[in-house]
Amino acid sequence: MARQLRRDATGIRGMGRSSVYEDAASGEIIVHGPPMTDADDIAQIEHLPEGDVAVVVPRELLIDWTAKGAIRQARLIGLDEFEGLFRTFSHSAWRLETRRRFASDEATDTYRQFVETGRVDWSVDDPYCELIRSQTAQGKRVERVRIVDQPPTTGQLYLLDNAKRNSGLGEDIRNLWRLDADRLQLPPEDFWLFDSRLAAKLRFDDDDHLMEVELITEPAEIVRYSVIRDAAWHHAVAYQEFAARLSDGE
């Protein structure tokens, strides 16, 4: 089975041919760069197995990839604890949505209404709405970038309609075509980034049900998620403009 390689976004630009990749399945790290070819240089390397090669990379590549002495801190949290993050964040909660569908959406009355009529009478009085409204009223930012296929799936169109409600709560929602996301090398990950200090990575099963949430505080990973956020946010389009372009067939 082919590896699921994910290019690390930190410390790469300006370093020519050198990059760091992580195998999303095993966690193994792959570094590539120009090979060391001088025989006298190679002779100084102890215990180089036959078939292995030495590569040369800038020192900054490895320093930027992970802070010196950093210890990975990642743990699974329950959905109640995940919900609590929206009550305790200090200044910003940012979301990347990359999925084509969410099974939880399709089980709702609003989804059925959207499929039947193309529109939804959204309620703004449920607990989530009250929570987000109270947070944004304090000046805190709640922002999302949603990746959309061409043509959009029914689930993506449903969420585009949903953006009208959530923006009324104070959320800032933007959209990005998947082709543009691929061009930017955005990863196929759904996550929330809170206060640029911790990330909640959402894990789904094969039927698109949310199964678990991984809480990540490792510095290098938070930097990576922050770079993803900055790239996606810069290129994404406000949902109102995106919806208008979609209606015009652009």
Side-chain angles (χ1 to χ4, degrees), residues 181-206:
D182 291 343
R183 177 177 55 81
L184 294 169
Q185 297 185 322
L186 300 184
E189 299 179 45
D190 275 48
F191 66 89
W192 280 93
L193 181 64
F194 296 94
D195 297 330
S196 298
R197 68 178 184 84
L198 64 87
K201 183 176 180 179
L202 310 185
R203 299 184 178 276
F204 296 81
D205 65 14
D206 292 339

PDB file of all heavy atoms in Angstrom, residues 181-206:
ATOM      1  N   ALA A 181      -7.536  24.429  -3.472  1.00  0.00           N
ATOM      2  CA  ALA A 181      -6.973  23.855  -2.250  1.00  0.00           C
ATOM      3  C   ALA A 181      -5.854  22.878  -2.582  1.00  0.00           C
ATOM      4  O   ALA A 181      -4.813  22.849  -1.906  1.00  0.00           O
ATOM      5  CB  ALA A 181      -8.069  23.164  -1.442  1.00  0.00           C
ATOM      6  N   ASP A 182      -6.045  22.081  -3.633  1.00  0.00           N
ATOM      7  CA  ASP A 182      -5.004  21.147  -4.051  1.00  0.00           C
ATOM      8  C   ASP A 182      -3.776  21.903  -4.552  1.00  0.00           C
ATOM      9  O   ASP A 182      -2.628  21.499  -4.287  1.00  0.00           O
ATOM     10  CB  ASP A 182      -5.534  20.222  -5.143  1.00  0.00           C
ATOM     11  CG  ASP A 182      -6.589  19.250  -4.632  1.00  0.00           C
ATOM     12  OD1 ASP A 182      -6.677  19.057  -3.402  1.00  0.00           O
ATOM     13  OD2 ASP A 182      -7.333  18.690  -5.467  1.00  0.00           O
ATOM     14  N   ARG A 183      -4.015  22.974  -5.283  1.00  0.00           N
ATOM     15  CA  ARG A 183      -2.889  23.780  -5.784  1.00  0.00           C
ATOM     16  C   ARG A 183      -2.079  24.359  -4.627  1.00  0.00           C
ATOM     17  O   ARG A 183      -0.848  24.472  -4.712  1.00  0.00           O
ATOM     18  CB  ARG A 183      -3.422  24.895  -6.690  1.00  0.00           C
ATOM     19  CG  ARG A 183      -2.360  25.845  -7.204  1.00  0.00           C
ATOM     20  CD  ARG A 183      -2.965  26.869  -8.161  1.00  0.00           C
ATOM     21  NE  ARG A 183      -4.074  27.583  -7.542  1.00  0.00           N
ATOM     22  CZ  ARG A 183      -3.920  28.614  -6.712  1.00  0.00           C
ATOM     23  NH1 ARG A 183      -2.688  29.030  -6.396  1.00  0.00           N
ATOM     24  NH2 ARG A 183      -4.966  29.241  -6.207  1.00  0.00           N
ATOM     25  N   LEU A 184      -2.767  24.712  -3.545  1.00  0.00           N
ATOM     26  CA  LEU A 184      -2.106  25.268  -2.364  1.00  0.00           C
ATOM     27  C   LEU A 184      -1.525  24.184  -1.463  1.00  0.00           C
ATOM     28  O   LEU A 184      -0.914  24.490  -0.440  1.00  0.00           O
ATOM     29  CB  LEU A 184      -3.103  26.110  -1.554  1.00  0.00           C
ATOM     30  CG  LEU A 184      -3.622  27.374  -2.237  1.00  0.00           C
ATOM     31  CD1 LEU A 184      -4.792  27.951  -1.455  1.00  0.00           C
ATOM     32  CD2 LEU A 184      -2.502  28.403  -2.370  1.00  0.00           C
ATOM     33  N   GLN A 185      -1.749  22.920  -1.834  1.00  0.00           N
ATOM     34  CA  GLN A 185      -1.282  21.763  -1.069  1.00  0.00           C
ATOM     35  C   GLN A 185      -1.885  21.737   0.333  1.00  0.00           C
ATOM     36  O   GLN A 185      -1.224  21.346   1.307  1.00  0.00           O
ATOM     37  CB  GLN A 185       0.252  21.724  -1.004  1.00  0.00           C
ATOM     38  CG  GLN A 185       0.909  21.561  -2.366  1.00  0.00           C
ATOM     39  CD  GLN A 185       2.421  21.402  -2.289  1.00  0.00           C
ATOM     40  OE1 GLN A 185       3.092  22.031  -1.488  1.00  0.00           O
ATOM     41  NE2 GLN A 185       2.955  20.545  -3.140  1.00  0.00           N
ATOM     42  N   LEU A 186      -3.150  22.143   0.427  1.00  0.00           N
ATOM     43  CA  LEU A 186      -3.836  22.025   1.707  1.00  0.00           C
ATOM     44  C   LEU A 186      -4.130  20.549   1.965  1.00  0.00           C
ATOM     45  O   LEU A 186      -4.538  19.823   1.058  1.00  0.00           O
ATOM     46  CB  LEU A 186      -5.141  22.823   1.703  1.00  0.00           C
ATOM     47  CG  LEU A 186      -5.025  24.332   1.451  1.00  0.00           C
ATOM     48  CD1 LEU A 186      -6.391  24.986   1.584  1.00  0.00           C
ATOM     49  CD2 LEU A 186      -4.027  24.967   2.413  1.00  0.00           C
ATOM     50  N   PRO A 187      -3.958  20.076   3.173  1.00  0.00           N
ATOM     51  CA  PRO A 187      -4.149  18.652   3.457  1.00  0.00           C
ATOM     52  C   PRO A 187      -5.632  18.309   3.551  1.00  0.00           C
ATOM     53  O   PRO A 187      -6.464  19.164   3.876  1.00  0.00           O
ATOM     54  CB  PRO A 187      -3.463  18.478   4.818  1.00  0.00           C
ATOM     55  CG  PRO A 187      -3.662  19.805   5.479  1.00  0.00           C
ATOM     56  CD  PRO A 187      -3.536  20.834   4.374  1.00  0.00           C
ATOM     57  N   PRO A 188      -5.997  17.052   3.305  1.00  0.00           N
ATOM     58  CA  PRO A 188      -7.397  16.623   3.429  1.00  0.00           C
ATOM     59  C   PRO A 188      -7.744  16.347   4.888  1.00  0.00           C
ATOM     60  O   PRO A 188      -8.112  15.231   5.262  1.00  0.00           O
ATOM     61  CB  PRO A 188      -7.446  15.358   2.574  1.00  0.00           C
ATOM     62  CG  PRO A 188      -6.071  14.784   2.715  1.00  0.00           C
ATOM     63  CD  PRO A 188      -5.141  15.965   2.789  1.00  0.00           C
ATOM     64  N   GLU A 189      -7.624  17.347   5.730  1.00  0.00           N
ATOM     65  CA  GLU A 189      -7.857  17.214   7.165  1.00  0.00           C
ATOM     66  C   GLU A 189      -8.952  18.178   7.602  1.00  0.00           C
ATOM     67  O   GLU A 189      -8.996  19.320   7.145  1.00  0.00           O
ATOM     68  CB  GLU A 189      -6.586  17.502   7.959  1.00  0.00           C
ATOM     69  CG  GLU A 189      -5.422  16.582   7.662  1.00  0.00           C
ATOM     70  CD  GLU A 189      -4.189  16.960   8.466  1.00  0.00           C
ATOM     71  OE1 GLU A 189      -4.324  17.218   9.674  1.00  0.00           O
ATOM     72  OE2 GLU A 189      -3.100  17.018   7.879  1.00  0.00           O
ATOM     73  N   ASP A 190      -9.807  17.721   8.493  1.00  0.00           N
ATOM     74  CA  ASP A 190     -10.787  18.597   9.117  1.00  0.00           C
ATOM     75  C   ASP A 190     -10.315  18.888  10.538  1.00  0.00           C
ATOM     76  O   ASP A 190     -10.081  17.955  11.320  1.00  0.00           O
ATOM     77  CB  ASP A 190     -12.168  17.928   9.155  1.00  0.00           C
ATOM     78  CG  ASP A 190     -12.938  18.136   7.866  1.00  0.00           C
ATOM     79  OD1 ASP A 190     -12.341  17.905   6.791  1.00  0.00           O
ATOM     80  OD2 ASP A 190     -14.117  18.518   7.921  1.00  0.00           O
ATOM     81  N   PHE A 191     -10.176  20.151  10.860  1.00  0.00           N
ATOM     82  CA  PHE A 191      -9.685  20.483  12.195  1.00  0.00           C
ATOM     83  C   PHE A 191     -10.161  21.871  12.621  1.00  0.00           C
ATOM     84  O   PHE A 191     -10.552  22.701  11.795  1.00  0.00           O
ATOM     85  CB  PHE A 191      -8.147  20.439  12.251  1.00  0.00           C
ATOM     86  CG  PHE A 191      -7.457  21.485  11.405  1.00  0.00           C
ATOM     87  CD1 PHE A 191      -7.160  22.752  11.915  1.00  0.00           C
ATOM     88  CD2 PHE A 191      -7.093  21.210  10.097  1.00  0.00           C
ATOM     89  CE1 PHE A 191      -6.522  23.706  11.143  1.00  0.00           C
ATOM     90  CE2 PHE A 191      -6.450  22.163   9.312  1.00  0.00           C
ATOM     91  CZ  PHE A 191      -6.168  23.411   9.836  1.00  0.00           C
ATOM     92  N   TRP A 192     -10.149  22.083  13.917  1.00  0.00           N
ATOM     93  CA  TRP A 192     -10.320  23.402  14.523  1.00  0.00           C
ATOM     94  C   TRP A 192      -8.983  23.809  15.126  1.00  0.00           C
ATOM     95  O   TRP A 192      -8.275  22.975  15.709  1.00  0.00           O
ATOM     96  CB  TRP A 192     -11.374  23.382  15.620  1.00  0.00           C
ATOM     97  CG  TRP A 192     -12.795  23.426  15.147  1.00  0.00           C
ATOM     98  CD1 TRP A 192     -13.625  22.358  14.902  1.00  0.00           C
ATOM     99  CD2 TRP A 192     -13.570  24.595  14.877  1.00  0.00           C
ATOM    100  NE1 TRP A 192     -14.850  22.787  14.488  1.00  0.00           N
ATOM    101  CE2 TRP A 192     -14.857  24.163  14.477  1.00  0.00           C
ATOM    102  CE3 TRP A 192     -13.310  25.964  14.935  1.00  0.00           C
ATOM    103  CZ2 TRP A 192     -15.872  25.056  14.127  1.00  0.00           C
ATOM    104  CZ3 TRP A 192     -14.316  26.854  14.594  1.00  0.00           C
ATOM    105  CH2 TRP A 192     -15.579  26.393  14.191  1.00  0.00           C
ATOM    106  N   LEU A 193      -8.642  25.085  14.993  1.00  0.00           N
ATOM    107  CA  LEU A 193      -7.439  25.639  15.613  1.00  0.00           C
ATOM    108  C   LEU A 193      -7.892  26.716  16.594  1.00  0.00           C
ATOM    109  O   LEU A 193      -8.539  27.693  16.197  1.00  0.00           O
ATOM    110  CB  LEU A 193      -6.518  26.233  14.543  1.00  0.00           C
ATOM    111  CG  LEU A 193      -5.193  26.832  15.013  1.00  0.00           C
ATOM    112  CD1 LEU A 193      -4.304  25.743  15.626  1.00  0.00           C
ATOM    113  CD2 LEU A 193      -4.464  27.502  13.840  1.00  0.00           C
ATOM    114  N   PHE A 194      -7.566  26.532  17.864  1.00  0.00           N
ATOM    115  CA  PHE A 194      -8.014  27.449  18.909  1.00  0.00           C
ATOM    116  C   PHE A 194      -6.839  28.288  19.411  1.00  0.00           C
ATOM    117  O   PHE A 194      -5.833  27.749  19.884  1.00  0.00           O
ATOM    118  CB  PHE A 194      -8.626  26.675  20.080  1.00  0.00           C
ATOM    119  CG  PHE A 194      -9.882  25.920  19.734  1.00  0.00           C
ATOM    120  CD1 PHE A 194      -9.823  24.587  19.364  1.00  0.00           C
ATOM    121  CD2 PHE A 194     -11.122  26.551  19.768  1.00  0.00           C
ATOM    122  CE1 PHE A 194     -10.989  23.886  19.045  1.00  0.00           C
ATOM    123  CE2 PHE A 194     -12.283  25.858  19.446  1.00  0.00           C
ATOM    124  CZ  PHE A 194     -12.217  24.530  19.085  1.00  0.00           C
ATOM    125  N   ASP A 195      -6.987  29.610  19.277  1.00  0.00           N
ATOM    126  CA  ASP A 195      -6.017  30.558  19.831  1.00  0.00           C
ATOM    127  C   ASP A 195      -4.600  30.332  19.328  1.00  0.00           C
ATOM    128  O   ASP A 195      -3.630  30.723  19.989  1.00  0.00           O
ATOM    129  CB  ASP A 195      -6.029  30.505  21.367  1.00  0.00           C
ATOM    130  CG  ASP A 195      -7.353  30.922  21.962  1.00  0.00           C
ATOM    131  OD1 ASP A 195      -8.049  31.743  21.343  1.00  0.00           O
ATOM    132  OD2 ASP A 195      -7.696  30.418  23.053  1.00  0.00           O
ATOM    133  N   SER A 196      -4.455  29.683  18.178  1.00  0.00           N
ATOM    134  CA  SER A 196      -3.139  29.379  17.592  1.00  0.00           C
ATOM    135  C   SER A 196      -2.237  28.633  18.570  1.00  0.00           C
ATOM    136  O   SER A 196      -1.005  28.721  18.489  1.00  0.00           O
ATOM    137  CB  SER A 196      -2.445  30.679  17.139  1.00  0.00           C
ATOM    138  OG  SER A 196      -3.194  31.331  16.144  1.00  0.00           O
ATOM    139  N   ARG A 197      -2.848  27.863  19.476  1.00  0.00           N
ATOM    140  CA  ARG A 197      -2.041  27.134  20.461  1.00  0.00           C
ATOM    141  C   ARG A 197      -2.445  25.671  20.611  1.00  0.00           C
ATOM    142  O   ARG A 197      -1.668  24.860  21.098  1.00  0.00           O
ATOM    143  CB  ARG A 197      -2.081  27.817  21.825  1.00  0.00           C
ATOM    144  CG  ARG A 197      -3.434  27.767  22.508  1.00  0.00           C
ATOM    145  CD  ARG A 197      -3.402  28.410  23.885  1.00  0.00           C
ATOM    146  NE  ARG A 197      -4.679  28.272  24.564  1.00  0.00           N
ATOM    147  CZ  ARG A 197      -5.035  27.211  25.257  1.00  0.00           C
ATOM    148  NH1 ARG A 197      -4.204  26.180  25.367  1.00  0.00           N
ATOM    149  NH2 ARG A 197      -6.208  27.135  25.851  1.00  0.00           N
ATOM    150  N   LEU A 198      -3.653  25.322  20.198  1.00  0.00           N
ATOM    151  CA  LEU A 198      -4.042  23.911  20.223  1.00  0.00           C
ATOM    152  C   LEU A 198      -4.986  23.637  19.063  1.00  0.00           C
ATOM    153  O   LEU A 198      -5.733  24.514  18.630  1.00  0.00           O
ATOM    154  CB  LEU A 198      -4.655  23.511  21.560  1.00  0.00           C
ATOM    155  CG  LEU A 198      -5.962  24.148  22.018  1.00  0.00           C
ATOM    156  CD1 LEU A 198      -7.163  23.382  21.463  1.00  0.00           C
ATOM    157  CD2 LEU A 198      -6.036  24.158  23.539  1.00  0.00           C
ATOM    158  N   ALA A 199      -4.913  22.414  18.565  1.00  0.00           N
ATOM    159  CA  ALA A 199      -5.738  21.996  17.429  1.00  0.00           C
ATOM    160  C   ALA A 199      -6.579  20.797  17.834  1.00  0.00           C
ATOM    161  O   ALA A 199      -6.148  19.951  18.619  1.00  0.00           O
ATOM    162  CB  ALA A 199      -4.871  21.648  16.224  1.00  0.00           C
ATOM    163  N   ALA A 200      -7.776  20.735  17.289  1.00  0.00           N
ATOM    164  CA  ALA A 200      -8.663  19.592  17.477  1.00  0.00           C
ATOM    165  C   ALA A 200      -8.880  18.982  16.098  1.00  0.00           C
ATOM    166  O   ALA A 200      -9.577  19.561  15.254  1.00  0.00           O
ATOM    167  CB  ALA A 200      -9.984  20.016  18.104  1.00  0.00           C
ATOM    168  N   LYS A 201      -8.267  17.838  15.858  1.00  0.00           N
ATOM    169  CA  LYS A 201      -8.366  17.147  14.572  1.00  0.00           C
ATOM    170  C   LYS A 201      -9.541  16.186  14.624  1.00  0.00           C
ATOM    171  O   LYS A 201      -9.617  15.332  15.501  1.00  0.00           O
ATOM    172  CB  LYS A 201      -7.071  16.396  14.271  1.00  0.00           C
ATOM    173  CG  LYS A 201      -7.054  15.716  12.913  1.00  0.00           C
ATOM    174  CD  LYS A 201      -5.694  15.079  12.661  1.00  0.00           C
ATOM    175  CE  LYS A 201      -5.633  14.386  11.318  1.00  0.00           C
ATOM    176  NZ  LYS A 201      -4.305  13.777  11.058  1.00  0.00           N
ATOM    177  N   LEU A 202     -10.466  16.318  13.676  1.00  0.00           N
ATOM    178  CA  LEU A 202     -11.679  15.517  13.659  1.00  0.00           C
ATOM    179  C   LEU A 202     -11.439  14.261  12.829  1.00  0.00           C
ATOM    180  O   LEU A 202     -11.002  14.334  11.680  1.00  0.00           O
ATOM    181  CB  LEU A 202     -12.838  16.326  13.079  1.00  0.00           C
ATOM    182  CG  LEU A 202     -13.044  17.720  13.684  1.00  0.00           C
ATOM    183  CD1 LEU A 202     -14.298  18.366  13.105  1.00  0.00           C
ATOM    184  CD2 LEU A 202     -13.120  17.659  15.200  1.00  0.00           C
ATOM    185  N   ARG A 203     -11.752  13.120  13.414  1.00  0.00           N
ATOM    186  CA  ARG A 203     -11.539  11.837  12.748  1.00  0.00           C
ATOM    187  C   ARG A 203     -12.884  11.198  12.432  1.00  0.00           C
ATOM    188  O   ARG A 203     -13.734  11.060  13.315  1.00  0.00           O
ATOM    189  CB  ARG A 203     -10.688  10.915  13.624  1.00  0.00           C
ATOM    190  CG  ARG A 203      -9.295  11.475  13.910  1.00  0.00           C
ATOM    191  CD  ARG A 203      -8.471  10.472  14.706  1.00  0.00           C
ATOM    192  NE  ARG A 203      -7.127  10.937  14.970  1.00  0.00           N
ATOM    193  CZ  ARG A 203      -6.102  10.834  14.128  1.00  0.00           C
ATOM    194  NH1 ARG A 203      -6.291  10.260  12.951  1.00  0.00           N
ATOM    195  NH2 ARG A 203      -4.912  11.281  14.452  1.00  0.00           N
ATOM    196  N   PHE A 204     -13.075  10.801  11.174  1.00  0.00           N
ATOM    197  CA  PHE A 204     -14.333  10.243  10.689  1.00  0.00           C
ATOM    198  C   PHE A 204     -14.136   8.800  10.259  1.00  0.00           C
ATOM    199  O   PHE A 204     -13.034   8.402   9.845  1.00  0.00           O
ATOM    200  CB  PHE A 204     -14.862  11.058   9.507  1.00  0.00           C
ATOM    201  CG  PHE A 204     -15.208  12.482   9.857  1.00  0.00           C
ATOM    202  CD1 PHE A 204     -14.225  13.458   9.937  1.00  0.00           C
ATOM    203  CD2 PHE A 204     -16.523  12.847  10.098  1.00  0.00           C
ATOM    204  CE1 PHE A 204     -14.543  14.775  10.251  1.00  0.00           C
ATOM    205  CE2 PHE A 204     -16.854  14.153  10.410  1.00  0.00           C
ATOM    206  CZ  PHE A 204     -15.865  15.121  10.490  1.00  0.00           C
ATOM    207  N   ASP A 205     -15.231   8.023  10.305  1.00  0.00           N
ATOM    208  CA  ASP A 205     -15.159   6.660   9.785  1.00  0.00           C
ATOM    209  C   ASP A 205     -15.470   6.673   8.283  1.00  0.00           C
ATOM    210  O   ASP A 205     -15.680   7.733   7.684  1.00  0.00           O
ATOM    211  CB  ASP A 205     -16.090   5.718  10.552  1.00  0.00           C
ATOM    212  CG  ASP A 205     -17.575   6.057  10.387  1.00  0.00           C
ATOM    213  OD1 ASP A 205     -17.930   6.846   9.476  1.00  0.00           O
ATOM    214  OD2 ASP A 205     -18.388   5.543  11.176  1.00  0.00           O
ATOM    215  N   ASP A 206     -15.508   5.503   7.679  1.00  0.00           N
ATOM    216  CA  ASP A 206     -15.712   5.410   6.239  1.00  0.00           C
ATOM    217  C   ASP A 206     -17.109   5.843   5.809  1.00  0.00           C
ATOM    218  O   ASP A 206     -17.346   6.092   4.615  1.00  0.00           O
ATOM    219  CB  ASP A 206     -15.453   3.979   5.765  1.00  0.00           C
ATOM    220  CG  ASP A 206     -13.992   3.583   5.892  1.00  0.00           C
ATOM    221  OD1 ASP A 206     -13.146   4.485   5.952  1.00  0.00           O
ATOM    222  OD2 ASP A 206     -13.705   2.362   5.937  1.00  0.00           O
TER     223      ASP A 206
END
